[in-house]
Amino acid sequence: MLTCLAGKRCTSTGRKCDGYEFPKETPGRSSSSSTSSPPSRSYPVAQYLFQPDSISKPVPGNTQERRIFHRFQYCTVPLLTGGSEAGFWSKLVLKVGLEETVVRNAIIALGTLHEDYQERSGRYSPQLIEDNSYRHALSLYGGALRQLNQRLNEPSKLNAKLAIVASILFACFEVLRRNNMAAVIHYQQGMRELFRQMNLPESDDTSLVASDKQATFREIPENEIDELLRVFARYDIQACTFSKERAEPLSTHITLPRVLPTDMTLSQVRYHLDNLLVSVYQLIKSDVRMYRYWDADSVPLEWRTRTQEAITTFDTWMAALEDFFTSNSHQLTNSDIKSLLGMRLQIKTAVIMLKVCIDCGPESVFDNFTDDFEDMVSKVEQMTAALGIQEAKPLEMELTPFTMELGIVHPLFFVACKCRDWDLRRRAIMQLKRAGKEGVWEGPIMAVLASRIMELEEEGLSFGEAVPETQRLHDIKKNVDYDNRQIFMEATKALDTTWNNFTILREVVTF
């Protein structure tokens, strides 16, 4: 287990690192709510979390608060909105922020921090805590946390739902200030409370709950609960790609495309790409992970079947999606191209991980994907060249805008670690230096770690010589200490070909 680095940084905002408690409703007690009944709809009222008011009404607060709220709406939301999260960021969170002080204060805190982040171009140092603008953002954040805790002292469905929305804003705040452990705590608290709310027996909308009591992830969101679940599911994937061992369990029913992507809109393609990503991580971050070193015949038939069906589905989707990009590339903006490329590479990376999760002991199994690695790196090289993106050093000026969307950083790091082609992995590391900050992933920092992993594996070899199995690293874990500019790395290396005996390598890599 890697050391948690979030504790001392959480205390600067006046909170502990164990999140906040969602009070359970008292049996038999009616929930208090300040919202009025929503207008009649064709689907159950229970699918609404909040009154569907217009977001065009005046913003409460003083001049500065109104300015930050509007700045959040027009400057911050576009950078936080992922492939299919527009429903939450552009509608739900703004609507609730206008109605509820707790969420509005969380918005203003996050908007203030984002403005500060942009003004310093993403630069970071331990001395940042002395900066007045940064301290002001932390003060607003601490105030929003205290106000939320006060509301949670009064058990009600409304207050629990406000905390669910606020937890997303708080998670983004922590990611933006590079406190990733605290971010995971926030979204896990909110996600699990959302699951609880969806499973409350008094709920009128039983369709939201799967028969196994897992939350159902719908392919196309139908209501605000679906929108919230989609945001949480995407953030859970981000945590799983970086350090989280298991995904929060969801019920997914992703099927082969009934309509080929060439006949879809860009928005529809984004939804389906997200669906694929959520679905594949439900597999590769589940019990199937234990079977990598097992003989296939010893693996339960259920897992072999589920894995093969998923691979068939994803391969079919990816082939069809390439046709979509070929026929629609002339209509896409630079922003769309970068966003969609990141999503495509994320899925390709996840599918490779899926293909090696059963009966694939040696690391040399990744040599079978060299053509895929070449395609991934080439596409990123083409994009960064077309957009003129330059290299950057860790924690220096960000040359690409911050985004909460998973993009090219994780796939490039994956290639740099798992591709043992000497030239190709160096090209991947070079592109990491141009990749910027995507949520918890930072390209320039991961370039440093990938370089060290490469050095360890290639030690004693001549350039171009095949990396022997005995020098290849298997499972790689990492954690970043930003204040001390250190990466804590832990990796396993097989001692024999039985895949039962491993040695653990631990290092501190500076950047």
Side-chain angles (χ1 to χ4, degrees), residues 150-301:
Q150 291 172 358
R151 287 291 293 264
L152 291 177
N153 286 331
E154 303 175 7
S156 74
K157 275 192 175 182
L158 174 62
N159 288 344
K161 291 168 184 175
L162 290 176
I164 291 169
V165 175
S167 68
I168 296 175
L169 295 165
F170 293 154
C172 291
F173 188 100
E174 294 289 8
V175 169
L176 192 56
R177 78 181 191 110
R178 295 178 167 97
N179 198 3
N180 298 331
M181 290 295 187
V184 172
I185 290 171
H186 277 306
Y187 88 74
Q188 281 186 325
Q189 293 278 32
M191 190 175 192
R192 290 167 186 174
E193 175 61 16
L194 179 62
F195 289 173
R196 195 184 77 84
Q197 290 291 319
M198 293 167 71
N199 282 285
L200 287 177
E202 62 267 27
S203 172
D204 296 326
D205 187 8
T206 56
S207 67
L208 290 175
V209 185
S211 58
D212 58 0
K213 300 302 181 182
Q214 290 182 353
T216 299
F217 183 89
R218 288 196 174 108
E219 292 192 56
I220 301 295
E222 297 179 9
N223 51 63
E224 291 172 342
I225 291 177
D226 288 346
E227 298 284 6
L228 279 167
L229 186 59
R230 181 164 290 263
V231 177
F232 281 122
R234 282 171 53 86
Y235 287 0
D236 195 47
I237 290 173
Q238 188 172 139
C240 284
T241 62
F242 196 81
S243 61
K244 197 161 178 276
E245 292 295 324
R246 298 181 68 89
E248 300 295 323
L250 297 171
S251 175
T252 58
H253 305 285
I254 309 304
T255 58
L256 287 169
R258 291 181 293 274
V259 179
L260 289 178
T262 48
D263 298 320
M264 293 181 185
T265 65
L266 178 59
S267 176
Q268 289 172 326
V269 168
R270 287 182 186 275
Y271 273 111
H272 285 292
L273 284 172
D274 273 349
N275 296 342
L276 291 174
L277 204 54
V278 170
S279 181
V280 74
Y281 271 96
Q282 287 294 305
L283 265 177
I284 61 179
K285 286 293 186 174
S286 68
D287 287 342
V288 76
R289 299 171 66 248
M290 73 175 67
Y291 299 120
R292 175 180 171 182
Y293 303 106
W294 289 39
D295 292 333
D297 293 340
S298 302
V299 177
L301 179 60

Side-chain angles (χ1 to χ4, degrees), residues 86-105:
F88 172 79
W89 287 109
S90 63
K91 296 179 182 178
L92 178 59
V93 75
L94 296 174
K95 177 181 68 180
V96 179
L98 287 173
E99 295 294 326
E100 298 290 342
T101 306
V102 171
V103 173
R104 182 164 62 253
N105 288 345

